Amino acid sequence: METKWLSADEREAWLGVFAVLELLPAALDAQLRRESELTRFEYYVLAMLSERPDRTLQMTGLAALSNATLPRLSHVVRRLSERGLVDKEPCPGDGRATNVRLTDAGWDKLRDAAPAHVATVRRHVIDALTSEQVEQLTQITQAMLASLDPDGAMKPPRPAS
């Protein structure tokens, strides 16, 4: 099979995506660690729990939303639990499953961390774009996710409006 090489425009687009994938996570992690003593992944776990009506989610569901293996997620949940930010509980409907619940301390930590995190997201992503580009970015990421995550496992619930 012959390789279909990238055109000059495609190469430029890909190298831009590559650079963003390298630089943005580091910028977000640095801000969260410095100001909130959280990693980007820990923040994401707390945020996903906060969006649930009872702030609780089964470990398998949380793993799917965060694209984490259960061992990695278990390690992070253990660390968050040791800090009092989440509780692990047996799942009432399935004795083999474990639920993770955001504690009041975890909610407070997330609420305190959110303004600076959102400001960082705004500075590096949203405010760098026009409103039209934000709409285009949504369409672009949805198209890419259709290929990368066809089952929509990482699609977070939409906040109530």
Side-chain angles (χ1 to χ4, degrees):
M1 176 160 65
E2 189 174 323
T3 302
K4 183 178 177 186
W5 296 105
L6 300 178
S7 70
D9 288 344
E10 292 167 338
R11 181 180 179 279
E12 184 177 3
W14 164 242
L15 291 177
V17 168
F18 183 84
V20 168
L21 291 173
E22 289 297 312
L23 297 171
L24 185 59
L28 296 173
D29 252 331
Q31 177 275 315
L32 283 165
R33 285 179 187 272
R34 182 179 60 251
E35 298 181 32
S36 302
E37 298 177 336
L38 289 170
T39 66
R40 183 174 44 91
F41 186 72
E42 289 168 340
Y43 180 90
Y44 189 77
V45 166
L46 297 178
M48 289 300 96
L49 292 171
S50 77
E51 293 182 357
R52 298 296 168 169
D54 57 359
R55 298 184 189 158
T56 303
L57 194 56
Q58 257 190 25
M59 285 281 285
T60 53
L62 190 53
L65 276 176
S66 61
N67 195 39
T69 63
L70 281 173
R72 177 183 184 211
L73 183 61
S74 292
H75 178 70
V76 169
V77 166
R78 181 186 50 77
R79 283 196 329 253
L80 293 171
S81 179
E82 288 171 354
R83 294 167 60 189
L85 303 178
V86 300
D87 283 331
K88 287 173 42 175
E89 310 165 334
C91 178
D94 182 352
R96 299 169 297 157
T98 301
N99 285 348
V100 182
R101 183 182 61 79
L102 184 66
T103 63
D104 289 342
W107 171 251
D108 291 343
K109 182 73 158 175
L110 181 65
R111 193 179 58 217
D112 291 346
H117 177 65
V118 170
T120 302
V121 169
R122 280 200 161 284
R123 181 171 61 254
H124 294 303
V125 181
I126 303 302
D127 292 346
L129 305 173
T130 66
S131 59
E132 181 179 311
Q133 289 171 322
V134 171
E135 289 177 29
Q136 291 169 345
L137 181 61
T138 299
Q139 293 168 358
I140 290 165
T141 57
Q142 287 174 348
M144 293 169 77
L145 284 170
S147 171
L148 293 166
D149 183 24
D151 298 329
M154 285 195 66
K155 186 173 184 171
R158 293 190 69 99
S161 36

